[in-house]
Amino acid sequence: CIIGLVFGSFGSVLASRLVSGGPLVFGSSRCPTCGNALKAWHLIPLISWACQHARCAFCNAKISVFYPIIELATASAFVFIYLKYDISFELAIFSAVSFLLIVIIAIDMRDKIIPDVLQIGLLVLAAIWTFYRSEWTHALEGAAVAATLGFGLRWGFFWLKKRESLGMGDVKFLIISGIFLGPFILLPFIFFAGVFGIITGTLWNRLGHGQEFPFGPALSLSLFLCLTVPEISHFFWGIYDR
């Protein structure tokens, strides 16, 4: 749990600096309002935010709930993976994947982009996972199916709506997911991404952000579900076996 909180704290910094262009590893954390460098005791995951009543210790500016949510989400994901897989190779890979997915969700919801550097990180992990399982054919088949679906949906939406509805970042994410999951679990992945997308879109609209919403969070949640709980695919195929 503590490891997850620490990674979550770094993830919140990463989500901010990847878009703003600040140093990713080195350099002091600063208040985005007053610019003062934060001390170590200002950066304790969850505790500092709560003890400071969600405000900067220097200028009293409000600190976004965005930071503790990322920390808590990362810790929760790490604990879930540990309870399911114990100390194992799966624990290491899935924890790394979940960390990147949470950062992707945070950035896509705020800035509506999925940075290529995070996609490359997922691609490297997908290659390691495939090598570990010795399922290169399975992975290539999944990537091919995902590419066909991704570009088909992108062009199909563009033809129907005369505007871009599925970004290239989403298409890249689909292809990487195909490498992770292979063709058999890819269709359940698409199904659950659609379910999460409906939920995300409804909440997005209810909160007053308009009809267009980022699809990255739905894709990320679905990949996490299908990768860490692969038996969920039996539920999907069971629906169509009835």
Side-chain angles (χ1 to χ4, degrees):
C1 184
I2 294 176
I3 295 174
L5 287 174
V6 171
F7 271 89
S9 181
F10 175 64
S12 64
V13 173
L14 191 62
S16 298
R17 295 184 180 181
L18 271 176
V19 178
S20 66
L24 298 183
V25 179
F26 302 103
S28 301
S29 293
R30 296 178 178 274
C31 171
T33 303
C34 65
N36 279 302
L38 303 178
K39 308 298 183 183
W41 54 87
H42 297 145
L43 300 171
I44 303 171
L46 290 182
I47 295 175
S48 294
W49 184 84
C51 290
Q52 293 168 199
H53 304 289
R55 293 193 176 276
C56 173
F58 297 103
C59 67
N60 207 37
K62 188 173 179 60
I63 300 174
S64 174
V65 72
F66 162 87
Y67 297 102
I69 286 178
I70 292 179
E71 292 166 356
L72 191 58
T74 307
S76 300
F78 279 27
V79 169
F80 171 79
I81 295 166
Y82 171 74
L83 291 176
K84 185 170 175 60
Y85 292 98
D86 204 353
I87 303 298
S88 62
F89 184 78
E90 286 82 358
L91 172 66
I93 285 290
F94 294 164
S95 295
V97 170
S98 66
F99 169 75
L100 292 179
L101 292 179
I102 289 169
V103 176
I104 285 173
I105 290 172
I107 293 177
D108 201 26
M109 289 191 70
R110 190 186 58 200
D111 301 295
K112 294 185 178 179
I113 59 169
I114 302 179
D116 283 341
V117 66
L118 297 178
Q119 302 261 34
I120 292 171
L122 284 178
L123 181 60
V124 170
L125 292 173
I128 294 172
W129 178 240
T130 301
F131 180 79
Y132 170 72
R133 301 179 71 198
S134 299
E135 293 186 346
W136 291 103
T137 302
H138 195 66
L140 291 174
E141 289 172 349
V145 173
T148 302
L149 284 172
F151 284 110
L153 289 171
R154 176 178 167 83
W155 293 331
F157 282 135
F158 185 81
W159 181 74
L160 287 172
K161 297 184 176 182
K162 305 304 179 186
R163 57 186 173 83
E164 184 179 283
S165 296
L166 190 70
M168 272 305 300
D170 297 326
V171 175
K172 295 173 189 175
F173 192 100
L174 278 170
I175 295 172
I176 294 170
S177 299
I179 297 172
F180 266 119
L181 303 173
F184 180 74
I185 307 181
L186 187 63
L187 290 181
F189 162 76
I190 297 294
F191 170 79
F192 289 115
V195 172
F196 288 130
I198 291 171
I199 296 171
T200 303
T202 302
L203 292 174
W204 193 261
N205 190 33
R206 290 285 179 87
L207 291 172
H209 297 303
Q211 296 290 333
E212 293 187 3
F213 63 95
F215 198 47
L219 291 172
S220 298
L221 289 171
S222 185
L223 178 58
F224 177 81
L225 176 66
C226 293
L227 191 61
T228 61
V229 192
E231 56 269 25
I232 197 72
S233 63
H234 300 310
F235 166 79
F236 171 82
W237 293 115
I239 294 175
Y240 291 96
D241 285 343
R242 292 175 184 173

